Amino acid sequence: MSDKPKPDHVDRLRGQWAREAPDIDTTPMTILGRAYRLSNLVRPSIEATFAGFGLDRGEFDVISTLRRSGPPYRLTPTDLYTSLMISSGGLTHRLGRLEKAGLISREKSSEDGRSFFVALTPEGQKRAEEAFRADMASEMQFLEKLSPEKRAALADLLRELVRGVEEGDATPSS
C-alpha cells in the first residue's frame, strides 16, 4: 500500500495545467488553491449555521465583533468597520437590519453629541454567543479527520503564512 495521498480537486487541476502549460510552476495551488477550495466547501455549512439564528454572515460578523470586545459590548462605527474591513456604507446597512431585529442599539456619546456607539442588546449578546458556539461545533466536525497534532501543525504553518503576507513579506510582483 502506498503512503501517497489520494489525489484531490487541486491535484487534478495541477495535472491539467502541467499538460497544457508545463513551464508554469503550480506549487502555489497546493496551498492557496486548497485554502480557497476549502473556504468554498465549508461556506454553505457556516452560512446555514448563522441562518439558524436569523443571521447572515455579515450580521454575525458585527454582533460577534461587539461580543468579543468585552463589556460594555459597544464600539464606535469607525472601530467596527475598521475591524470588519468593510465600507462605512456596508456597515450602515447591516446596523439597520440588526437594530430592527433588536440585537443592537445606537447610543449617543456623552462626550460628543454628534457621535454614537453601537451596542449589543442583551438579546444580541445571547444570540452572538449561541451562534458562535454552534459555528465552532459545526466547524470542528470538518477538522475531526486530522489528529490534534496535525491540526496544531497546520494552524502553526497557516499562522506563519498569514503573518508573512500581512507584514508584506510576500508582496506579489506583477
Side-chain angles (χ1 to χ4, degrees), residues 13 33 128:
L13 296 178

Side-chain angles (χ1 to χ4, degrees), residues 82-128:
T82 301
S83 175
L84 295 169
M85 296 183 293
I86 61 172
S87 69
S88 61
L91 178 63
T92 300
H93 185 65
R94 290 179 191 178
L95 294 181
R97 292 189 318 253
L98 290 167
E99 189 170 37
K100 188 174 181 179
L103 301 177
I104 61 130
S105 63
R106 300 179 209 215
E107 303 173 351
K108 286 219 180 251
S109 169
S110 59
E111 292 115 30
D112 178 2
R114 295 171 297 162
S115 62
F116 67 95
F117 289 98
V118 177
L120 273 178
T121 63
E123 177 58 27
Q125 292 174 38
K126 180 178 176 247
R127 184 103 45 104

Side-chain angles (χ1 to χ4, degrees), residues 7-166:
D8 67 357
H9 180 74
V10 172
D11 291 323
R12 289 187 290 278
L13 296 178
R14 290 183 75 212
Q16 290 170 334
W17 278 114
R19 182 186 69 238
E20 296 299 317
D23 61 310
I24 299 175
D25 181 1
T26 61
T27 300
M29 293 175 71
T30 66
I31 307 291
L32 301 177
R34 284 192 175 98
Y36 180 72
R37 175 116 172 113
L38 183 59
S39 176
N40 286 332
L41 289 170
V42 301
R43 181 179 296 120
S45 173
I46 292 168
E47 290 173 354
T49 297
F50 297 147
F53 291 90
L55 301 165
D56 66 25
R57 191 173 189 151
E59 292 164 344
F60 173 76
D61 286 347
V62 171
I63 66 171
S64 68
T65 298
L66 290 165
R67 176 63 179 86
R68 71 176 182 264
S69 72
Y73 309 113
R74 68 180 197 170
L75 295 169
T76 66
T78 301
D79 289 337
L80 264 174
Y81 74 74
T82 301
S83 175
L84 295 169
M85 296 183 293
I86 61 172
S87 69
S88 61
L91 178 63
T92 300
H93 185 65
R94 290 179 191 178
L95 294 181
R97 292 189 318 253
L98 290 167
E99 189 170 37
K100 188 174 181 179
L103 301 177
I104 61 130
S105 63
R106 300 179 209 215
E107 303 173 351
K108 286 219 180 251
S109 169
S110 59
E111 292 115 30
D112 178 2
R114 295 171 297 162
S115 62
F116 67 95
F117 289 98
V118 177
L120 273 178
T121 63
E123 177 58 27
Q125 292 174 38
K126 180 178 176 247
R127 184 103 45 104
E129 186 170 331
E130 287 174 347
F132 182 66
R133 286 180 187 280
D135 180 47
M136 289 297 96
S138 174
E139 289 185 33
M140 182 56 85
Q141 293 176 7
F142 294 114
L143 301 177
E144 288 175 346
K145 290 188 178 188
L146 297 176
S147 69
E149 295 78 19
K150 284 185 176 182
R151 288 191 297 245
L154 180 57
D156 288 344
L157 290 168
L158 289 171
R159 180 184 306 107
E160 187 177 334
L161 179 59
V162 168
R163 287 186 63 186
V165 172
E166 286 176 343

